Amino acid sequence: MEQYIIALDGGTTNTRASLWKDPGICVDIVKSEVGVRITSIEGSNATLKAAVKGLLDQLLTNNKIGYDQVAGIYACGMITSKEGLVEVPHLIAPVGKQEFVDGLFKAELPEIAPLPIHFIRGMKNRDGAGLTLAEIEEMDVMRGEETETLALLDLFGNENGCLFALPGSHTKFVSVDAQRKMIGCLSSLAGELLAAVTENTILAGAVGKSFAGADYNREMLLAGYRAARDTSFARAAFSVRMLQMFIPSSEQDCASFLLGAVLESDVAAVKNSKALSVTKDMKVVIAGKEPLASALKLLFEEDGYFEQVEIYYPTAEKPMSGYGAYQVAKANT
C-alpha cells in the first residue's frame, strides 16, 4: 500500500496542505483563505483548526485514501507560532536538516486529525536573551522560509556556501555555509513598503497605483536603484514625481524607477547587515516571481559584489515549503 506525507504550510492570510509521495512527487495541493491572522482577530485558533481539518479531509477525499496511508503530517510556517496551532520555539542558528529533524515537536490534535502532527521549528539568528539595542541588527527570525531553503538546498549547492533570496511582501535572505547549514537570515519590508508608497502617497498618480510588471523598464529600474544608492530612498522616491513632471515617462516607467529605489535597500542590507554572513564567492539564488526575481538579479549584478547570481522560478506543482517539509519527513523515518 502506497504511503504519503502531508505537508501543512500556514501563513498569515492562507494555509496550504500538500500531499507527497516518493521520490518527492507532489500529488495534490489544496488551499484555504484562512491564516493565522484570524486567530489574532478572534482571540482563538478554533477557526484555523477547522480550516486545517477541512484541508486534510479534502486531500484524502480528492485522492481516495485514508489516514492508514499517511506516514506523517508535517507543519511549518506561521502555523507553528503563538497564533497558529501549536507554538514551538525557534531553533538557533546554525541549523541544518538534521537539526530540524531533531527539533521536531510532535503534538496530538485529535480534533484535527487522528495522527499526530509534527511541527517544524523556525529559526532565529541568536538566542535573544539579554539582547541590547546595539545588537538588534544581528537578530532576525523566520518561520516557513527554513523549509523553502531546504528545498533550494536540494537543487543548488556551492562549496563556498549560498545566499538564498526569497522576495515577497517580506523579503527573506538566508545564508547557508559550505556544510549546508543555515547560519543567518535577514528580513526586509520591501514588498509592503513598495505597496504602501504605490497606493498611499503622492506618487500614486505617477505610477497609476500599479506595480512594475514583468515588462518593466530596465533602464528606469537601474536609475531608481542608483538614485537611492547615491542619495537616499526618500529622495529617490520623490524623484518619481520629478519624472512625471519634467521627463516624458509612462506609469510603468515611474513604477520601474520606484521598484529600483525600493530594492536598493535590500542589496545594501545583504552586504552591510550583521544578521547575515556573506562572502563574494557565495552563489546567490533568487527564488521568486516576476518582476521581483529578475529585478533583484539585475541589481545584484549592477552592484557587482557577488560573483554568481541566478534565478529559480518555483512552480505551483511543487511548492518549496511543502517539498522542504517532505525532506524533513523522509529524514525522520
Side-chain angles (χ1 to χ4, degrees):
M1 183 181 295
E2 193 159 35
Q3 292 289 297
Y4 299 88
I5 297 292
I6 293 178
L8 292 169
D9 175 19
T12 302
T13 57
N14 60 73
T15 304
R16 289 187 302 181
S18 50
L19 187 68
W20 299 79
K21 67 178 183 179
D22 293 340
I25 298 171
C26 186
V27 178
D28 194 11
I29 305 173
V30 292
K31 180 180 176 181
S32 168
E33 298 301 323
V34 174
V36 300
R37 183 176 64 176
I38 196 67
T39 301
S40 298
I41 295 172
E42 297 181 349
S44 163
N45 66 1
T47 299
L48 180 62
K49 284 184 175 180
V52 172
K53 182 181 187 304
L55 290 175
L56 296 176
D57 291 345
Q58 187 179 347
L59 269 186
L60 299 182
T61 300
N62 285 357
N63 296 279
K64 298 180 174 58
I65 61 174
Y67 275 109
D68 59 330
Q69 289 179 260
V70 178
I73 304 172
Y74 289 76
C76 64
M78 291 301 291
I79 208 168
T80 70
S81 70
K82 180 175 65 175
E83 295 79 17
L85 296 181
V86 174
E87 182 181 13
V88 293
H90 295 87
L91 296 175
I92 302 171
V95 184
K97 183 192 293 186
Q98 190 56 51
E99 284 77 18
F100 285 114
V101 172
D102 295 341
L104 285 168
F105 182 85
K106 185 167 70 172
E108 301 282 350
L109 298 171
E111 67 273 33
I112 296 177
L115 299 179
I117 298 177
H118 298 79
F119 290 85
I120 302 171
R121 299 176 191 267
M123 189 195 86
K124 58 185 177 181
N125 287 358
R126 51 179 291 179
D127 187 336
L131 194 70
T132 67
L133 183 60
E135 298 169 320
I136 198 66
E137 180 51 38
E138 301 172 17
M139 194 60 170
D140 212 304
V141 297
M142 60 182 176
R143 289 189 187 271
E145 292 88 359
E146 70 286 336
T147 49
E148 294 181 274
T149 301
L150 288 173
L152 290 168
L153 273 171
D154 188 63
L155 301 170
F156 301 91
N158 189 291
E159 62 182 10
N160 299 310
C162 291
L163 175 68
F164 295 113
L166 305 167
S169 295
H170 295 166
T171 296
K172 191 77 70 173
F173 297 91
V174 186
S175 53
V176 180
D177 65 16
Q179 287 70 49
R180 303 174 75 83
K181 290 194 175 186
M182 302 173 206
I183 54 178
C185 62
L186 180 150
S187 303
S188 158
L189 206 66
E192 279 198 292
L193 176 61
L194 180 64
V197 175
T198 297
E199 298 168 358
N200 299 291
T201 70
I202 197 172
L203 304 182
V207 299
K209 287 192 174 183
S210 298
F211 304 111
D215 57 345
Y216 61 86
N217 185 318
R218 291 167 58 96
E219 181 182 353
M220 284 293 191
L221 179 91
L222 289 169
Y225 164 82
R226 292 165 185 153
R229 179 195 64 193
D230 297 341
T231 58
S232 70
F233 167 71
R235 172 57 187 166
F238 192 80
S239 293
V240 173
R241 186 159 170 77
M242 300 299 97
L243 288 175
Q244 179 193 36
M245 294 175 64
F246 298 110
I247 299 177
S249 303
S250 68
E251 291 176 350
Q252 273 295 291
D253 286 347
C254 291
S256 299
F257 186 98
L258 180 60
L259 177 60
V262 170
L263 292 183
E264 186 278 333
S265 61
D266 279 358
V267 175
V270 164
K271 296 186 301 177
N272 299 324
S273 172
K274 295 178 181 178
L276 287 178
S277 177
V278 299
T279 58
K280 294 182 178 182
D281 53 0
M282 274 184 165
K283 178 188 291 184
V284 178
V285 179
I286 303 165
K289 299 177 181 178
E290 292 296 352
L292 291 177
S294 64
L296 197 53
K297 180 177 186 290
L298 183 62
L299 297 185
F300 271 124
E301 290 172 341
E302 168 74 7
D303 175 74
Y305 180 79
F306 293 104
E307 298 170 357
Q308 302 178 70
V309 184
E310 56 186 282
I311 298 176
Y312 171 71
Y313 293 106
T315 64
E317 294 76 22
K318 195 168 188 175
M320 293 194 302
S321 58
Y323 184 49
Y326 165 81
Q327 290 189 61
V328 172
K330 295 304 295 181
N332 190 44
T333 57

